[in-house]
Amino acid sequence: MKEFSGLVTLNGNPLILLGEEIEIGDKAPDFTVVDNNQQPVKFSSFADKTCILSVIPSLDTPVCDVSTRKFNEEAESLGPDVLVLTLSMDLPFAQARWRKAAGAEAVRTFSDHRDASFGLSYGVLIKDLRLLSRAVFVVDKNGIVKYKEIVGELANEPNYNAILNVLRNI
């Protein structure tokens, strides 16, 4: 398993990421996560859609909450061919509870807690914390990675404008 250092910090302290490095232009790897009903879902089941993969450490933190709410607001205007998938290590029932409390109907939340299939496939699993690093990937309906942002400081939000610009050009 590959280790990456120097990409991400938490409050200035370096973190080590595990997994495979994904680049723009790569075929997006398939992975299996768990939906809010605790059922396995393969990423390949969304093959006919453009997907924003919003990757967060935990919905129970302020920045993750704000970020997911922002994506929920944007998702409503992106149209039916664009899906926002929020991925974290949170348990499925915690994700469902958050969605209900936040009124977040436009984003879909998925848990990678079982085997870190997503985190390892996309190189965003934080080694010592067993959480996902904050990142965003945009995958077009052909399964090609069109955008990648691994947020350098875990406590920061992603670049929403850059993400929306990429979506306008797909």
Side-chain angles (χ1 to χ4, degrees):
M1 185 173 341
K2 294 181 184 175
E3 292 188 2
F4 303 94
S5 58
L7 296 176
V8 178
T9 61
L10 175 58
N11 300 320
N13 298 310
L15 299 171
I16 296 171
L17 301 180
L18 301 175
E20 297 300 318
E21 191 170 14
I22 301 300
E23 299 296 342
I24 294 171
D26 286 353
K27 179 78 174 162
D30 201 9
F31 56 87
T32 302
V33 287
V34 180
D35 70 14
N36 292 173
N37 294 315
Q38 302 185 44
Q39 297 302 307
V41 175
K42 292 184 80 59
F43 180 56
S44 54
S45 67
F46 303 110
D48 60 338
K49 305 285 185 187
T50 294
C51 293
I52 300 170
L53 305 178
S54 172
V55 187
I56 60 172
S58 175
L59 285 165
D60 285 331
T61 63
V63 176
C64 296
D65 177 84
V66 167
S67 175
T68 306
R69 286 175 190 266
K70 175 75 173 165
F71 277 118
N72 187 65
E73 290 170 15
E74 294 295 340
E76 294 173 357
S77 67
L78 296 174
D81 291 330
V82 178
L83 300 176
V84 178
L85 312 179
T86 298
L87 302 139
S88 72
M89 287 293 200
D90 293 311
L91 296 176
F93 43 85
Q95 291 177 334
R97 184 176 57 245
W98 179 90
R99 284 185 72 209
K100 183 177 180 182
E105 297 298 323
V107 296
R108 299 179 188 193
T109 53
F110 296 96
S111 177
D112 200 24
H113 82 280
R114 285 194 180 157
D115 60 9
S117 174
F118 171 78
L120 292 171
S121 295
Y122 284 70
V124 294
L125 180 64
I126 301 171
K127 181 179 181 177
D128 294 331
L129 302 176
R130 201 173 188 282
L131 295 173
L132 300 178
S133 183
R134 187 175 321 285
V136 178
F137 299 89
V138 175
V139 178
D140 71 10
K141 64 182 179 179
N142 298 314
I144 304 300
V145 177
K146 296 296 188 177
Y147 179 84
K148 169 191 172 182
E149 178 184 3
I150 296 179
V151 179
E153 169 56 48
L154 208 58
N156 293 341
E157 294 177 58
N159 185 339
Y160 303 110
N161 290 332
I163 297 159
L164 295 173
N165 285 337
V166 166
L167 288 170
R168 287 185 199 108
N169 293 318
I170 291 181

